[in-house]
Amino acid sequence: MGFPEEPARERDWDQSPLPQTKRLFWEHIAPRSSQVFILNQYEEPVCWKTEFALFMRLVENHFLLIIESFIERTVCFMKNSNSLSIRKHAVGIDVSKDTLEVCSGKKTSSESMNFSTSRCFKNAREGFESLLSWARKQSDQNRPVWFVMEATGVYYEQLAYFLHKAGENVCVLVASRAAHYAKSLPIKSKTDAIDARILSRYGLERHPEMWKPASPRLRKIKALIREREQLQKQHTQLMNRLHAARKAWGHPQTSLERLSDHAKQIGRYLKQISTELDNLWQSNQQLAEPVSRIAGINGIGEQTVLDIIAETDGFALITNRNQLASYSGLDVVLDESGNRQGATKISKHGNAHLRKALYMPAMSAIQHNPALKLFYERLVEKHPNQKMIAVTAVMRKLLLLVYSLWKSGKEYDPEFHYQQIMVKP
């Protein structure tokens, strides 16, 4: 059935208060409507009010059809979206001291992302089991689940080890990477639920890196080294206080005795830690051989090598020299924009324990290692007023030298190292 045509008889369009509306009706709405009121059925001129009333009924009916069609298409789309295959499933976990805020996200074959309502679990063994059971119920058996969390102090470790032991894919992000990713999103609020959703979205959008736990032996060595570092700092503070108290006039003798006993006790703890560390690394041939071999570098000792190996987990996740420099915070950062030349410096966005462990060996190597001494002097000539730049460069050289000898299994050759420095600083 065809649509009605405009009446052949002439109408006085100018008498109507809405001439443009009527023209738009015949040009755009009437040809597209399947339910059109025949307005040209009147052979006699009709009142414009009657025409306008009929016209408004037609417009109302037309828009109802549009809304019905929109609803039908929306329902159809939702049904189809539910049937789309799941391409990726990531569970974001915001870790705190007592609780775990969790959000599950899925990416479908149409690249759309759907997120569940966040749930809260206890940061304890029973909470870990409930979380894993909940995540597996929501997952597709054919798709692996990624558990993405942020390295929040030590509170994430038990959960990460639990999930890894259960055979799940675990990704642990450093705090700076998670923070920078969150800033790239148009989200202004910050809550635990929002943070969990952001971590889930990271797992869906990016390619998460698989987290692997450190070896038990190196993990114990790392814990003992850090405990020794803290106790050494406390011991130095106590000795300074004891010295000042002895020089003070009329300081109580009982206070001096307590300070002295405290310092002696920490000294005994330090000896115990040194004994434990020696037993741990010397009793394992796979660790004792490379540590002793690398300690042949002039300016570096066994304890420094052990510090580096423990902090990097034997370079397990390090694949190249640039990655190692970035991990230690010894990578160079440029600051240039247009004609402005900012100061070039190291990022310091890495493991501060590594940098601290390398400082004194670098100072020693400048004095006793011919190759690194030449390297240092050459840099001092370029930056006579900034000798710390040269010291930092020597720290980086030492770290990369330890990495090369650990990976290659070769002995340190001072002559070969010196020739390398001569050819290329």
Side-chain angles (χ1 to χ4, degrees):
M1 179 178 179
F3 294 107
E5 298 180 355
E6 180 71 20
R9 57 184 174 78
E10 295 183 359
R11 292 175 180 266
D12 188 4
W13 293 96
D14 296 332
Q15 292 180 2
S16 170
L18 299 171
Q20 292 297 328
T21 305
K22 297 174 71 175
R23 287 195 182 95
L24 289 173
F25 164 72
W26 287 110
E27 292 175 2
H28 300 286
I29 298 179
R32 292 172 174 80
S33 178
S34 60
Q35 297 181 13
V36 178
F37 292 94
I38 302 177
L39 299 182
N40 63 343
Q41 60 183 335
Y42 301 97
E43 296 181 357
E44 299 296 332
V46 297
C47 176
W48 67 266
K49 292 183 179 180
T50 305
E51 259 190 87
F52 184 71
L54 292 172
F55 166 72
M56 291 305 296
R57 286 185 61 192
L58 175 59
V59 171
E60 179 183 1
N61 193 39
H62 179 73
F63 277 102
L64 286 175
L65 291 174
I66 293 176
I67 293 172
E68 290 177 1
S69 176
F70 174 76
I71 293 174
E72 290 178 359
R73 292 182 181 182
T74 302
V75 172
C76 181
F77 173 78
M78 292 177 66
K79 290 181 178 180
N80 292 335
S81 64
N82 291 333
S83 62
L84 293 174
S85 60
I86 303 299
R87 293 184 55 186
K88 204 171 186 182
H89 184 195
V91 176
I93 307 172
D94 183 71
V95 182
S96 63
K97 181 172 67 73
D98 298 319
T99 59
L100 306 169
E101 196 74 27
V102 181
C103 177
S104 174
K106 298 178 182 179
K107 179 187 280 189
T108 63
S109 55
S110 65
E111 297 298 324
S112 62
M113 291 183 290
N114 303 316
F115 299 93
S116 68
T117 304
S118 63
R119 291 194 58 180
C120 188
F121 299 92
K122 288 184 179 181
N123 192 356
R125 176 78 183 191
E126 59 270 19
F128 303 160
E129 295 174 352
S130 300
L131 187 157
L132 184 58
S133 176
W134 173 78
R136 286 176 173 174
K137 287 179 181 178
Q138 297 201 15
S139 66
D140 184 357
Q141 298 299 327
N142 299 325
R143 295 288 177 183
V145 182
W146 277 94
F147 293 86
V148 184
M149 65 190 74
E150 184 181 348
T152 310
V154 297
Y155 297 117
Y156 77 94
E157 291 183 352
Q158 292 191 18
L159 174 62
Y161 276 88
F162 173 83
L163 294 173
H164 183 269
K165 190 175 181 180
E168 301 294 338
N169 299 320
V170 182
C171 173
V172 179
L173 299 177
V174 296
S176 58
R177 179 177 294 186
H180 287 307
Y181 175 75
K183 289 179 181 178
S184 68
L185 302 176
I187 300 175
K188 296 181 180 179
S189 301
K190 178 175 173 59
T191 63
D192 292 344
I194 291 176
D195 290 345
R197 180 166 178 162
I198 289 174
L199 291 172
S200 175
R201 183 168 179 171
Y202 179 92
L204 297 177
E205 290 185 349
R206 305 297 176 89
H207 299 285
E209 298 176 0
M210 181 75 75
W211 175 82
K212 293 181 179 179
S215 66
R217 184 177 296 270
L218 287 178
R219 184 171 176 82
K220 290 178 182 179
I221 292 174
K222 180 179 177 180
L224 290 173
I225 289 175
R226 291 197 175 184
E227 183 187 3
R228 182 182 63 185
E229 181 183 326
Q230 294 174 353
L231 289 177
Q232 285 174 341
K233 185 177 180 181
Q234 294 178 17
H235 189 263
T236 302
Q237 292 174 346
L238 281 171
M239 294 303 294
N240 291 336
R241 289 174 58 190
L242 184 60
H243 175 77
R246 285 172 177 170
K247 295 295 182 180
W249 175 261
H251 195 86
Q253 183 63 28
T254 53
S255 177
L256 290 174
E257 293 175 357
R258 282 191 293 270
L259 287 173
S260 179
D261 291 343
H262 196 180
K264 291 178 180 178
Q265 182 64 39
I266 291 180
R268 289 192 289 270
Y269 288 155
L270 289 173
K271 290 181 180 179
Q272 292 176 8
I273 291 173
S274 296
T275 303
E276 289 183 44
L277 282 172
D278 290 341
N279 293 334
L280 277 173
W281 73 269
Q282 291 178 1
S283 61
N284 185 277
Q285 185 61 28
Q286 294 180 349
L287 190 59
E289 187 276 327
V291 169
S292 301
R293 174 168 47 82
I294 296 172
I297 303 172
N298 294 335
I300 197 171
E302 293 176 345
Q303 292 300 322
T304 303
V305 176
L306 200 61
D307 286 1
I308 295 172
I309 300 304
E311 290 293 338
T312 59
D313 189 26
F315 306 104
L317 300 179
I318 305 297
T319 57
N320 56 68
R321 295 158 64 91
N322 292 334
Q323 186 182 7
L324 176 59
S326 177
Y327 175 75
S328 63
L330 294 172
D331 51 328
V332 179
V333 176
L334 302 177
D335 183 17
E336 300 175 358
S337 179
N339 296 326
R340 183 178 67 83
Q341 298 289 330
T344 301
K345 54 187 179 181
I346 60 173
S347 68
K348 293 187 178 180
H349 290 169
N351 193 318
H353 297 278
L354 271 178
R355 297 195 299 273
K356 185 175 181 179
L358 287 166
Y359 177 73
M360 290 307 297
M363 298 298 292
S364 177
I366 290 170
Q367 300 294 325
H368 305 288
N369 191 309
L372 293 176
K373 183 177 181 180
L374 174 63
F375 177 68
Y376 172 79
E377 291 173 350
R378 186 179 297 172
L379 288 177
V380 169
E381 290 179 3
K382 294 182 180 179
H383 309 279
N385 298 325
Q386 295 178 316
K387 292 185 178 181
M388 194 60 201
I389 293 177
V391 175
T392 304
V394 173
M395 292 167 58
R396 178 187 170 112
K397 279 285 186 182
L398 273 177
L399 178 62
L400 298 181
L401 182 58
V402 172
Y403 171 71
S404 299
L405 295 177
W406 177 274
K407 289 290 187 180
S408 65
K410 297 179 180 178
E411 296 284 345
Y412 175 64
D413 186 354
E415 293 297 329
F416 176 75
H417 190 205
Y418 187 83
Q419 294 298 325
Q420 277 191 320
I421 296 296
M422 288 289 293
V423 174
K424 183 179 179 181

